[in-house]
Every structure is written in structure tokens, then in C-alpha cells.
């Protein structure tokens, strides 16, 4: 249940004048602003001491005494952030994650949202200690080994050494604060240290750097696009480029000035896209996409409004029927998120082969999954290409071939070669609609309409607004075909679902749903579709139940679902 954040600014005049905490609360309250996920939050900013107190799950009117840790309050020394917190009244949210407390603020004058990371230290002494250790971090690094260590090993080494140092020199510092200080010092010691406070948040989607000398900004699932005060200068950029080269073992230089690669830092799977001169004439351009530790399920996507029950039912029936499915949408629309959610409801005994240049698929416990990693299209010299591996999959016996993103004409040619050969496929492709995607395949990629006719379903997903987290499936279109003189003929597209109208209900006799039902001796697939809708509305755990139910897979699921 959404509820408010109550912000209380305590000035020296206010606290002294009202003489007691209870009186001051009523006189100086800033009001309820912003939203949190699950409970009321009271935030007190005591400017004279540069302290911020906060506590979740209470009503400010119930407060009768000074906030204490034993009463559930946490305090943070805000230090140099104090002038900012005094000027900007609109606190949107607090997210405490590991050693950082992230403060989300609205700036009504600029019409923007800002995020500031605060170290979770409580006193000026702890803050000063953190800053001193950060400048002397070289004392805690083993220079002989540092060039051979991964970024995680470097972080772990510094954490261990700083923790040992603090335990021996300041034994009275409690374990939690010792851990927080050690982690922050370790983060600051590596090239990606400035990014880590934002990447560590589970709800961070993507972090951006436009060019050196500009500040980072990022997209957050709840708070949308957020600005930061972290500026990346050119000296820091050179460290980042060196780190990327060493971690991903790909070229990033003048001959190969862009790359896309996977990198895992602190158990966070990241996809990095980087460009440098001469392709990016102003210097390093960086996009870091963070994958959630737990992938969104179909039920999650229904809950957050990406899917309706009707749309989810159509997609479920298409997946269990092994239709050829392409998900299209713009950058950041959620194509891969939806693809992974559909992957999670496939039967456990299906053999799935994945071919990706960025490993965005998820390991699903108990499923048969075989992965092949190919070189990204940015790499000038490629040893393993997606188009070659797609063709090789004809001899790998996949029940479903999952291809990640189809980007080039060569990718499309290999995709449809696999489809014509009888493989069942799921993939994503950039586009703004089913109509636009078919035009791209036919006009730009020179795919014959007879081959396009063998694709079954195109799902379009969109992001409401740039920098906002809301997404939705806007249309589901079936591809219609017939045969004449022994050849496949592409008839056209038929919308079976739109976000505006819901289930359209006009099922083409030449579309994959009615064709499949007819081949099974059924009058329609709609009873099976209704059964799936009822199962979803019943609250059934789709991933653990549907993928194991024998009634779906002992015969064709469309046939079995009509008998439930």
C-alpha cells in the first residue's frame, strides 16, 4: 500500500523555540510528500548537527520523544549534502542498500528528479575516517597482484584489508559500521566505483554517461529517470576504458571504437555498451544495463501493468503450442524481459538452445538449456557469428531456439532459414509495430514474403515515456498464410489483441491459432484460451505449475486444455 513520507526540517531556532520534540513536530512539519512502497516514513533533518533520522512504519503524530536507534530509527551524517537537503523540499523516497542510503529528491524549478548517495555513517568522525581511508586506499592494495585480479577480487581484497585495519586500530567501532566503511572504500578504489551506489539498487535499470565531464544519470523502476551529481572526468574515463578491456577481453580502440559485452560485478549481471573516439568524437559514451537478480515472471508483468490477463493468456497458449514468436519494440521497451518471462513457463523437458551476443537469458532450475555465446556485431574481427551458429542449430536438435536480439540483415536471413527448415524460434527485434517489422524484414532485409508467412506471432511492447518505468504490450498480431500450388503465401497481419480494445476476437482461419486447432480436429482454440485465463485469475504459480503439468504436454496442449 502506497503511503507518505513526512519530512521535518529541524533548525536550531525551531528546536530551541518549541522546547520539546513533540511540540516542534507539530509546528515545523513539512507535510506528506512522495511515496514509498509499504509503509509510512518519517524523515527528520537536523541541520545544526548535519544529521538525518528516518524510520519506516510510523505516524509522525505518534512521536513523543527524541528518535533513538532502539526505537527503530536510523541516523545518517549528511555532511556536505546539508545545503542541498535544506534547499530542496520534495523528498520522493529513500532506498537504503548495503553501505549507501539513496536519497531521491524532486526539484520543481528544474522539473527533474535527483538521486544522491549518502554513506551510512552516523558521525563526523566516521565520515572523516571514511574520507581519509579513501585517499589512502593504496595502502590496502597489493600492488604486485592488482593487475591480475578481477574487479571483484580487487574489491574483496580492499574490504578484507580495511576491515582488518579498522578492527585493530579502532576496536570500538561496531561491526556494521566497519563493514559499511570498508565496502565504500573498496568501491571507490576501482574504476567503476562511482557507478556502484546506483547499480547496487535492485530497481536500477540502466546507467548512462553521455561524455566525459558530464554527470551520470540512470533509470529507476519506481522513480523514473534520475539525475546525479557524479561527474566523470577524462582521467577517470581512461581507468574505465582500461577496466572494460581487461574484464571483457574485447577490443576497444580506434580500430574497434565500440563494443557490447557482459560483465558481472558484485553478483550483478551487467550489459555494457561503450563507444570511444573516433566513433564518439566527444569521448567515452557508456550505457550499463543492469539485470534484476530475479527475473520478472508473467505474473509480475501482469501485476505491474505490462500485460493484461488476456494478453498473457494469448502468449501462454502460443508458447506451449511452440509458435514462432518475435517480440518487437523500441530500445528499453522490455523486449528481453518479456522473452525471459515466456521462457520461464516452457516445459522442463524441452531442450532449449540459446544463441546470444549478450547473455541476457536466465538459468531456470531443472530446465534443459544449452547456450552459445557469439561475438557482438561491434567487434571488427569476429570468430563466432550469430548467423553461423543459427545455421548450425539445425543439427543441435532444439525444441525451441531462443535467439536474443535479431539486429542485422544477416541475422534475419539466418533466422528465416531456420524457420523454413522447421525450427521453432523466439527472439526480439527493434521496431514500433508488427507492420513496421514486417516491412523491415521484407524491404530492408530482403526476406521473401513466403518466408515471413512462416512466422506465427509478433508481439509489440512499448515504454510509455522516455525515462519512465511503465511499459505495456500494445498489440499482438498473428501472421496469416495459406498455400497455393504447393507454395506458402503471406496473406497479411491480423490483430488479435490491442491494449486499447483488449481481446479483439477476430481470429483468422489462416492464422496460427485457428490453423492449429483445425489440424487437431477442434472447432476453435478459444476454450483452451479461456482455461488459461481462468488458471491465471486463480492465482496459480504459472512457472512452477504450468511447466510441470502433464495435461499440457502429453498431447498437444491446445487439445488437452479444452478438456479441463
Amino acid at each position: 500500500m502506497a503511503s507518505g513520507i513526512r519530512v521535518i526540517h529541524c533548525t536550531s531556532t525551531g528546536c530551541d523555540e518549541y522546547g520539546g520534540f513533540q511540540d516542534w513536530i507539530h509546528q515545523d512539519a513539512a507535510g506528506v510528500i512522495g511515496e514509498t512502497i509499504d509503509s509510512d516514513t518519517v524523515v527528520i533533518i537536523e541541520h545544526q548537527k548535519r544529521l538525518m533520522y528516518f524510520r519506516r512504519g510510523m505516524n509522525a503524530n505518534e512521536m513523543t520523544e527524541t528518535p533513538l536507534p532502539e526505537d527503530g530509527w536510523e541516523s545518517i551524517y549528511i555532511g556536505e549534502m546539508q545545503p542541498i537537503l535544506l534547499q530542496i523540499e520534495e523528498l520522493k523516497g529513500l532506498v537504503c542498500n548495503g553501505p549507501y542510503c539513496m536519497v531521491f529528491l524532486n526539484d520543481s524549478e528544474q522539473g527533474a528528479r535527483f538521486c544522491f548517495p549518502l554513506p551510512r555513517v552516523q558521525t563526523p568522525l566516521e565520515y572523516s575516517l571514511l574520507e581519509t581511508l579513501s585517499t589512502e586506499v593504496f595502502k590496502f592494495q597489493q600492488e604486485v597482484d592488482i593487475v591480475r585480479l578481477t574487479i571483484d577480487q580487487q574489491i574483496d581484497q580492499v574490504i578484507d584489508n580495511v576491515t582488518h585495519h579498522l578492527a585493530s586500530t579502532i576496536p570500538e567501532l561496531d561491526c556494521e559500521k566497519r563493514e559499511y566503511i570498508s565496502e565504500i572504500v573498496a568501491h571507490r578504489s576501482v574504476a567503476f566505483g562511482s557507478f556502484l551506489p546506483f547499480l547496487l539498487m535492485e530497481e536500477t535499470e540502466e546507467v548512462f554517461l553521455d561524455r566525459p565531464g558530464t554527470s551520470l544519470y540512470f533509470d529507476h523502476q519506481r522513480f523514473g529517470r534520475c539525475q546525479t551529481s557524479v561527474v566523470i572526468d577524462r582521467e577517470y574515463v581512461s581507468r574505465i576504458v582500461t577496466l572494460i578491456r581487461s574484464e571483457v577481453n574485447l577490443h576497444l580502440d580506434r580500430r574497434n571504437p565500440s563494443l557490447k559485452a557482459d560483465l558481472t560485478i558484485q553478483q550483478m549481471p551487467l550489459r555494457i555498451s561503450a563507444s570511444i573516439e573516433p566513433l564518439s568524437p566527444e569521448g567515452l559514451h557508456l550505457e550499463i544495463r543492469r539485470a534484476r537478480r530475479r527475473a520478472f515472471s508473467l505474473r509480475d508483468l501482469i501485476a505491474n501493468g505490462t500485460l493484461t490477463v488476456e494478453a498473457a493468456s494469448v502468449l501462454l497458449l502460443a508458447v506451449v503450442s511452440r509458435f514462432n514468436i518475435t517480440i518487437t519494440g523500441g530500445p528499453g521497451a522490455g523486449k528481453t524481459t518479456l522473452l525471459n518471462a515466456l521462457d520461464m513457463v516452457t516445459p522442463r523437458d524441452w531442450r532449449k538452445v540459446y544463441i546470444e551476443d549478450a547473455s541476457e537469458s536466465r538459468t531456470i532450475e531443472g530446465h534443459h538449456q544449452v547456450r552459445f555465446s557469439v561475438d557482438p556485431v561491434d567487434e571488427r574481427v569476429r570468430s563466432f557469428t550469430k548467423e553461423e551458429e543459427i545455421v548450425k542449430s539445425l543439427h543441435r536438435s532444439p525444441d525451441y531456439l531462443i535467439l536474443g536480439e535479431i539486429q542485422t540483415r544477416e541475422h534475419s536471413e539466418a533466422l528465416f532459414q531456420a524457420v523454413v527448415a522447421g525450427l521453432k524460434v523466439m527472439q526480439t527485434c527493434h521496431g514500433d509495430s508488427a507492420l513496421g517489422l514486417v516491412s523491415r524484414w521484407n524491404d530492408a532485409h530482403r526476406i521473401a514474403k513466403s518466408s515471413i508467412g512462416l512466422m506465427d506471432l509478433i508481439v509489440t511492447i512499448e515504454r510509455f515515456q522516455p525515462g519512465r518505468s511503465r511499459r505495456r504490450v500494445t498489440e499482438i498480431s498473428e501472421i496469416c498464410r495459406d498455400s497455393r500450388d504447393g507454395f506458402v503465401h503471406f496473406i497479411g497481419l491480423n490483430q488479435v489483441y490491442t491494449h486499447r480494445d483488449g481481446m479483439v476476437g477476430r481470429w483468422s482461419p489462416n492464422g496460427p491459432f485457428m490453423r492449429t486447432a483445425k489440424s487437431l480436429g477442434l472447432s476453435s482454440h478459444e476454450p483452451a484460451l479461456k482455461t488459461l485465463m481462468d488458471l491465471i485469475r486463480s492465482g496459480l504459480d504459472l512457472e512452477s505449475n504450468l511447466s510441470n503439468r502433464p495435461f499440457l504436454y502429453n498431447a498437444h496442449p491446445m487439445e488437452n486444455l479444452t478438456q479441463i
Side-chain angles (χ1 to χ4, degrees):
M1 180 179 68
S3 52
I5 298 177
R6 190 162 190 170
V7 182
I8 301 163
H9 287 278
C10 177
T11 63
S12 57
T13 303
C15 291
D16 293 337
E17 180 181 348
Y18 299 123
F21 196 72
Q22 176 67 25
D23 290 337
W24 166 74
I25 287 286
H26 291 293
Q27 296 289 336
D28 208 25
V32 175
I33 49 181
E35 288 186 347
T36 57
I37 286 294
D38 53 5
S39 60
D40 290 321
T41 300
V42 176
V43 177
I44 303 167
I45 300 174
E46 193 173 357
H47 292 280
Q48 188 176 34
K49 295 182 179 179
R50 297 194 173 192
L51 287 174
M52 179 176 72
Y53 306 88
F54 62 91
R55 178 181 167 185
R56 289 185 169 89
M58 72 169 300
N59 188 321
N61 294 323
E62 299 172 356
M63 295 167 54
T64 58
E65 55 186 30
T66 302
L68 298 172
E70 53 265 33
D71 295 326
W73 288 87
E74 180 172 350
S75 64
I76 290 180
Y77 180 70
I78 58 179
E80 60 188 24
M81 276 285 295
Q82 187 257 355
I84 296 173
L85 294 178
L86 181 63
Q87 294 172 13
I88 303 178
E89 294 288 335
E90 297 184 52
L91 177 62
K92 186 66 177 177
L94 291 173
V95 177
C96 291
N97 190 54
Y100 305 101
C101 186
M102 313 299 287
V103 181
F104 290 85
L105 301 166
N106 280 346
D107 187 339
S108 54
E109 290 186 3
Q110 296 188 37
R113 185 161 296 158
F114 288 84
C115 178
F116 300 93
L118 293 177
R120 291 175 82 171
V121 295
Q122 295 179 326
T123 66
L125 181 61
E126 291 175 359
Y127 186 85
S128 177
L129 176 63
L130 171 62
E131 296 301 312
T132 300
L133 291 173
S134 297
T135 59
E136 298 176 351
V137 69
F138 62 90
K139 296 180 180 179
F140 307 104
Q141 296 171 322
Q142 298 174 12
E143 295 184 12
V144 175
D145 297 329
I146 200 71
V147 294
R148 293 194 293 269
L149 298 179
T150 66
I151 185 171
D152 276 348
Q153 290 171 332
Q154 293 176 44
I155 290 172
D156 292 342
Q157 180 193 86
V158 174
I159 288 175
D160 290 343
N161 292 340
V162 173
T163 301
H164 178 75
H165 170 76
L166 291 174
S168 59
T169 57
I170 315 177
E172 63 272 19
L173 190 66
D174 69 70
C175 292
E176 185 178 59
K177 289 297 177 289
R178 191 185 305 154
E179 180 180 321
Y180 287 162
I181 291 173
S182 300
E183 286 185 41
I184 296 172
V185 172
H187 293 167
R188 292 178 178 180
S189 72
V190 297
F192 267 112
S194 296
F195 296 77
L196 287 177
F198 311 104
L199 289 170
L200 284 169
M201 288 186 289
E202 180 68 9
E203 292 179 295
T204 293
E205 296 180 333
E206 204 159 2
V207 180
F208 305 94
L209 173 67
D210 291 340
R211 60 188 177 277
T214 62
S215 57
L216 300 179
Y217 58 100
F218 67 98
D219 289 345
H220 189 274
Q221 287 172 16
R222 271 192 291 149
F223 300 123
R225 181 153 295 168
C226 300
Q227 312 298 321
T228 81
S229 59
V230 177
V231 176
I232 305 298
D233 59 29
R234 290 193 175 274
E235 181 181 352
Y236 197 86
V237 160
S238 64
R239 294 180 60 200
I240 293 173
V241 172
T242 300
L243 172 68
I244 293 173
R245 287 171 178 156
S246 63
E247 290 284 330
V248 304
N249 198 29
L250 290 173
H251 295 97
L252 185 60
D253 49 39
R254 293 189 67 84
R255 292 191 61 192
N256 203 94
S258 68
L259 66 75
K260 182 170 70 173
D262 301 314
L263 180 62
T264 299
I265 301 177
Q266 298 292 280
Q267 299 181 327
M268 295 180 296
L270 308 174
R271 189 181 77 180
I272 295 178
S273 297
S275 301
I276 60 172
E277 302 96 328
L279 179 64
S280 178
E282 295 179 294
L284 177 68
H285 164 71
L286 198 61
E287 302 165 19
I288 305 176
R289 181 169 294 183
R290 184 198 193 280
R292 286 166 53 96
R293 288 188 173 90
R294 185 185 71 83
F296 280 109
S297 66
L298 277 184
R299 192 164 294 285
D300 291 331
L301 297 181
I302 293 171
N304 67 25
T306 301
L307 286 171
T308 62
V309 171
E310 292 79 7
S313 303
V314 173
L315 296 181
L316 267 176
L317 187 57
V319 169
V320 299
S321 300
R322 284 205 308 150
F323 285 176
N324 295 314
I325 302 170
T326 300
I327 301 169
T328 190
K335 300 182 294 295
T336 302
T337 298
L338 179 56
L339 179 63
N340 286 336
L342 295 177
D343 186 18
M344 290 164 64
V345 296
T346 55
R348 286 176 177 267
D349 59 351
W350 282 5
R351 173 180 165 83
K352 294 176 291 185
V353 174
Y354 303 77
I355 302 174
E356 303 170 289
D357 59 355
S359 298
E360 296 182 297
S361 60
R362 299 302 185 99
T363 299
I364 308 170
E365 185 177 356
H367 284 230
H368 301 301
Q369 298 173 284
V370 181
R371 288 184 173 82
F372 296 93
S373 179
V374 298
D375 295 324
V377 294
D378 308 76
E379 191 72 2
R380 182 179 292 272
V381 179
R382 293 186 288 163
S383 301
F384 306 101
T385 66
K386 178 171 281 189
E387 53 268 27
E388 290 175 349
E389 296 307 316
I390 291 174
V391 173
K392 291 179 185 177
S393 294
L394 296 171
H395 304 287
R396 289 173 175 150
S397 303
D399 295 315
Y400 237 141
L401 182 61
I402 299 176
L403 299 175
E405 184 181 354
I406 300 299
Q407 302 173 68
T408 66
R409 176 177 175 177
E410 291 76 18
H411 289 178
S412 294
E413 289 173 346
L415 161 65
F416 281 97
Q417 184 175 344
V419 171
V420 170
L423 296 186
K424 303 301 181 181
V425 297
M426 277 199 292
Q427 56 280 319
T428 69
C429 193
H430 281 88
D432 63 355
S433 65
L435 183 62
L437 181 58
V438 168
S439 297
R440 180 184 176 194
W441 280 336
N442 185 236
D443 299 336
H445 291 179
R446 298 289 186 258
I447 304 300
K449 288 186 178 180
S450 58
S451 296
I452 294 174
L454 294 172
M455 188 62 63
D456 293 314
L457 212 63
I458 298 177
V459 185
T460 304
I461 186 169
E462 72 170 11
R463 195 172 195 166
F464 275 40
Q465 292 178 327
R468 295 294 180 261
S469 59
R470 289 192 64 194
R471 297 162 171 87
R472 65 185 177 192
V473 168
T474 56
E475 67 172 16
I476 302 174
S477 297
E478 56 181 356
I479 292 181
C480 304
R481 67 173 185 260
D482 65 6
S483 59
R484 302 172 198 165
D485 303 323
F487 292 93
V488 172
H489 285 259
F490 170 70
I491 297 176
L493 296 168
N494 178 49
Q495 281 188 343
V496 299
Y497 169 88
T498 68
H499 184 268
R500 182 186 60 192
D501 301 323
M503 201 83 76
V504 177
R506 297 190 301 268
W507 302 96
S508 170
N510 300 108
F513 291 99
M514 291 297 288
R515 282 200 322 268
T516 302
K518 184 178 179 181
S519 70
L520 296 170
L522 303 173
S523 60
S524 172
H525 64 287
E526 292 189 78
L529 196 59
K530 183 180 183 304
T531 299
L532 284 174
M533 281 190 245
D534 292 341
L535 289 173
I536 292 173
R537 291 191 176 109
S538 72
L540 181 76
D541 185 337
L542 300 174
E543 289 68 39
S544 61
N545 285 278
L546 279 185
S547 64
N548 292 309
R549 289 204 168 194
F551 68 75
L552 283 177
Y553 310 114
N554 288 342
H556 195 283
M558 192 179 290
E559 189 174 18
N560 285 333
L561 282 166
T562 62
Q563 301 172 8
I564 298 177

